[in-house]
Amino acid sequence: MINYLWGIMIVIGVVYGALTGKMSSISTATINSAKEAVTLCITMLGVMSLWMGLMSVARSVGLMDKLTRVLRPVIRILFPDLPKDHIVNEYIASNMIANILGLGWAATPVGLKAMKELAQLNNHSDRASCDMCTFLIINISSLQLIPVNIIAYRSQYGSVNPAEILGAGLLATTISTIVGVVFSVVARKTFKK
C-alpha cells in the first residue's frame, strides 16, 4: 500500500512540475536529493560502524551478558508467559539493550529473531500473542540513552551541537516507554480474562 502512495505522490509531483513549467527544478531537486542520500548513508555507515564495534567489544568482555542478566527481572515482569530459559529472552534483552544505546539498526536483527521465536511459541497463529504485542510496543517506544541516529543526522546537516538533543530525547523516550509498558500491562490483564 505504501508503495502505491509513494508512486502516486511522485507522479503528482512530476505532473504538477510539467504543468507549471518547473521540470528543471524537479530535475535539480532529484539530483541533489540523490547526492544528499548517498552522503547521509556514508555518514550513518561511519557512526553505525563505530557503535557496532563498541557493541562487539562489549560482547567480547562480557558486558552484554551482564546487561542481559540485569534485564532478566524486567523481562520476566513484561513477559510473564515466556519460558524462563528460552532463547527468546536473550533476543529480547539484546534488542532492548541495542535500543537503549540508540542502535536501532543493531536492534532490528535480534528483534526479528525474537519475533520469530515468539511466533513459534504462539504456534504460528494468525493472531498475535500478548507477548508479541508487548515486544512490539516496547521496541517501538524504545527508551534511548544515546539517540545515535538523530545525533548523526544533526551532525550531517550542520548542527553546531548535534548532541544537544540528549536531554529531550531521553525525556521523550522515557515517557513513551512508560506509557507503552502501562498500556501493555493493562491490555494483558484485559485480554487474559
Side-chain angles (χ1 to χ4, degrees):
M1 180 67 176
I2 194 79
N3 291 338
Y4 293 119
L5 291 174
W6 278 111
I8 290 168
M9 288 190 292
I10 290 170
V11 169
I12 289 171
V14 170
V15 169
Y16 180 79
L19 293 176
T20 59
K22 296 185 179 185
M23 282 305 288
S24 63
S25 297
I26 290 175
S27 298
T28 303
T30 302
I31 291 169
N32 289 339
S33 295
K35 176 185 160 193
E36 192 173 310
V38 169
T39 304
L40 181 62
C41 286
I42 291 170
T43 300
M44 294 305 288
L45 177 66
V47 170
M48 289 310 295
S49 296
L50 169 72
W51 282 101
M52 292 301 292
L54 289 174
M55 287 282 283
S56 292
V57 170
R59 188 169 283 118
S60 297
V61 298
L63 183 61
M64 292 298 289
D65 290 333
K66 290 177 185 173
L67 291 173
T68 300
R69 274 186 248 121
V70 167
L71 281 177
R72 276 205 179 114
V74 174
I75 291 171
R76 296 296 317 147
I77 292 168
L78 292 173
F79 304 95
D81 299 333
L82 293 182
K84 188 176 182 179
D85 293 326
H86 198 279
I87 188 71
V88 73
N89 293 296
E90 291 179 32
Y91 291 148
I92 290 171
S94 294
N95 177 273
M96 290 172 78
I97 291 166
N99 276 326
I100 288 169
L101 295 175
L103 304 173
W105 294 344
T108 300
V110 288
L112 292 173
K113 288 179 182 179
M115 195 57 86
K116 182 178 177 182
E117 293 296 328
L118 289 170
Q120 285 180 345
L121 290 171
N122 194 30
N123 297 319
H124 296 286
S125 173
D126 290 338
R127 187 174 180 182
S129 68
C130 287
D131 289 331
M132 293 169 82
C133 294
T134 299
F135 177 68
L136 191 59
I137 290 168
I138 298 301
N139 192 36
I140 291 170
S141 67
S142 187
L143 172 66
Q144 289 187 5
L145 297 178
I146 307 164
V148 175
N149 294 344
I150 300 301
I151 291 171
Y153 289 137
R154 287 173 54 89
S155 176
Q156 172 68 26
Y157 291 112
S159 174
V160 176
N161 185 1
E164 183 178 45
I165 193 77
L166 285 175
L170 182 59
L171 177 65
T173 59
T174 299
I175 291 171
S176 68
T177 300
I178 290 169
V179 169
V181 167
V182 168
F183 176 81
S184 295
V185 169
V186 170
R188 182 180 295 271
K189 288 181 180 179
T190 302
F191 291 112
K192 284 288 185 173
K193 291 179 180 180

